[in-house]
Amino acid sequence: MVYEYEGKTEKEAIEKAAQELGLEKDQFDVEILESQKASLFKKGYVRISVHPVDSEENVAGEFDGSVPNVTERAQNPSLVANPMPQNEFEQKLIEFVKTMICKMGYDVTVEVMFREDKKMGIKLTSSASPILIGRKGKNLDAMQLLANVYAGHLGREDIRIILDSENYRIRREETLVRLAYVTADKVRHTHSSTLLEPMNPYERRLIHTTLNDIADIETKSEGDGLYKQVRVIYRGAR
């Protein structure tokens, strides 16, 4: 089930969702659907879509692609994990991922990349990494979804599994942030709007968040299904 809430800020909308659904903030995923900054004639608002993480439609945060970056790892050495499985759950999960990829016809080394309280990173090393990643990371997303489903079958619905190869997740985040700023400059110059490529919920939220504080730019998601598009809109001086 998907719910929508509106508030003056993203924080207010999230707090309203948590209160009305009776959930903690880490029990649901949030996607910014639309935001409008306050002006002389319009009130500001943020409209969000909420996906409870235990919903059948949103299995274990399947598209949360965030990973600790190099700076975070340097500041917190505990994030640099022992690559070997430390318990039965990790052993079964790694064997599942390795078997899945081997049955696809590719050799792969599967290791633990990082461990957090409710998130675990899995690193895939393979000569076929470009294929495992796929166009815009869609193959990686699909395998990550299956890994999260399997983790749920093992009784670990509380943990999110992040699959990465050749630091694709971090490189993708950097690319999207640059894309957001370049697109904002473009629509400001042309006084128009631009529709970006289809993205998963995590990537769309990254675009929304990156541009949220730019006064003359607004964003909104368009389309149906999981891979929607973000429209970047010039709204003029405020």
Side-chain angles (χ1 to χ4, degrees), residues 1 18 139 177 216 233 238:
M1 185 69 69
N139 292 348
V177 169
D216 58 350
I233 307 164
R238 285 288 186 263

Side-chain angles (χ1 to χ4, degrees), residues 25-58:
K25 294 178 184 179
D26 61 358
Q27 291 182 300
F28 56 81
D29 286 337
V30 174
E31 176 192 347
I32 301 174
L33 296 177
E34 187 175 4
S35 66
Q36 175 177 287
K37 299 167 185 68
S39 68
L40 182 61
F41 302 105
K42 293 181 180 180
K43 67 176 183 178
Y45 70 89
V46 175
R47 186 162 61 92
I48 65 172
S49 174
V50 173
H51 309 250
V53 297
D54 58 352
S55 166
E56 290 296 328
E57 298 178 4
N58 187 50

Side-chain angles (χ1 to χ4, degrees), residues 202-215:
Y202 173 76
E203 294 175 339
R204 293 198 302 273
R205 187 180 184 190
L206 186 62
I207 298 291
H208 289 304
T209 302
T210 299
L211 301 181
N212 191 51
D213 293 329
I214 300 180

Side-chain angles (χ1 to χ4, degrees), residues 87-138:
N87 51 49
E88 183 180 4
F89 165 72
E90 293 184 3
Q91 179 67 50
K92 288 184 176 181
L93 181 65
I94 287 176
E95 284 299 322
F96 171 82
V97 173
K98 184 173 183 178
T99 300
M100 171 175 60
I101 295 173
C102 286
K103 286 187 175 181
M104 292 166 58
Y106 306 108
D107 293 327
V108 66
T109 298
V110 183
E111 301 173 313
V112 176
M113 182 168 56
F114 66 86
R115 296 181 181 88
E116 296 180 0
D117 287 342
K118 296 184 179 181
K119 189 181 292 185
M120 177 180 171
I122 301 295
K123 177 182 178 183
L124 310 178
T125 303
S126 172
S127 59
S129 287
I131 297 174
L132 298 183
I133 294 170
R135 186 176 183 274
K136 307 298 184 183
K138 288 190 176 183

Side-chain angles (χ1 to χ4, degrees), residues 7 13 16 34 55 57 64 101 128-129 158 170-171 188 193-194 198 237:
K16 184 182 295 184
E34 187 175 4
S55 166
E57 298 178 4
D64 179 357
I101 295 173
S129 287
D158 61 314
I170 293 175
R171 291 188 287 109
R188 182 183 292 114
S193 70
T194 295

